[in-house]
Amino acid sequence: MNIKVVGIAAGLLLASTSAFGQSSTVTGAAGGAATGAIVGGPVGAAVGGIVGGVAGSVIDPPPQQVVTYVQQAPAPAERVVVEKVVVGEPLPETVVVTPVPDDPKYAYAIVNDQRLIVEPSSRKVIQVIE
């Protein structure tokens, strides 16, 4: 019975993190452990911490000055189109990623007419600017 509850909690954690992934940073291991403890006690806390740590973002949300810079950056002369942009997934190598001058932890790209904040080393999309 305890294993079923823990499995259900892990599934709910994964489902909820994918819903929040596009617009905010997930609380990660701490949030997963707290939710797991509520649902499944000590075993739930351990599983929740692992699931939350995997689903949580390693990168902090970008500071407002980075968001503002990306919002105001000039668009490329040619429109760049890729099949799908997913927060947490890397952009294809064909997409030009431009560093943010005042904060080397961040870069940006404009893809499918969307402005994206990207982690330069992995090319992972951190945030889509709406």
Side-chain angles (χ1 to χ4, degrees):
M1 181 77 168
N2 248 355
I3 293 176
K4 277 186 180 178
V5 172
V6 170
I8 291 169
L12 289 172
L13 283 169
L14 285 173
S16 68
T17 57
S18 65
F20 289 113
Q22 293 266 342
S23 62
S24 66
T25 302
V26 180
T27 57
T35 303
I38 292 168
V39 174
V43 173
V47 171
I50 293 167
V51 171
V54 169
S57 176
V58 176
I59 301 284
D60 292 331
Q64 186 58 45
Q65 61 265 28
V66 170
V67 174
T68 301
Y69 180 86
V70 173
Q71 288 171 327
Q72 296 173 353
E78 292 185 33
R79 186 171 185 257
V80 178
V81 178
V82 298
E83 186 175 320
K84 190 174 183 182
V85 172
V86 178
V87 173
E89 295 292 320
L91 290 173
E93 291 295 325
T94 56
V95 175
V96 175
V97 175
T98 306
V100 173
D102 292 338
D103 199 333
K105 284 182 18 182
Y106 302 99
Y108 73 95
I110 301 174
V111 178
N112 302 344
D113 296 323
Q114 295 178 305
R115 293 175 181 268
L116 312 172
I117 298 177
V118 180
E119 179 187 38
S121 61
S122 68
R123 303 177 59 84
K124 286 183 184 178
V125 176
I126 297 170
Q127 183 176 347
V128 177
I129 306 295
E130 301 290 337

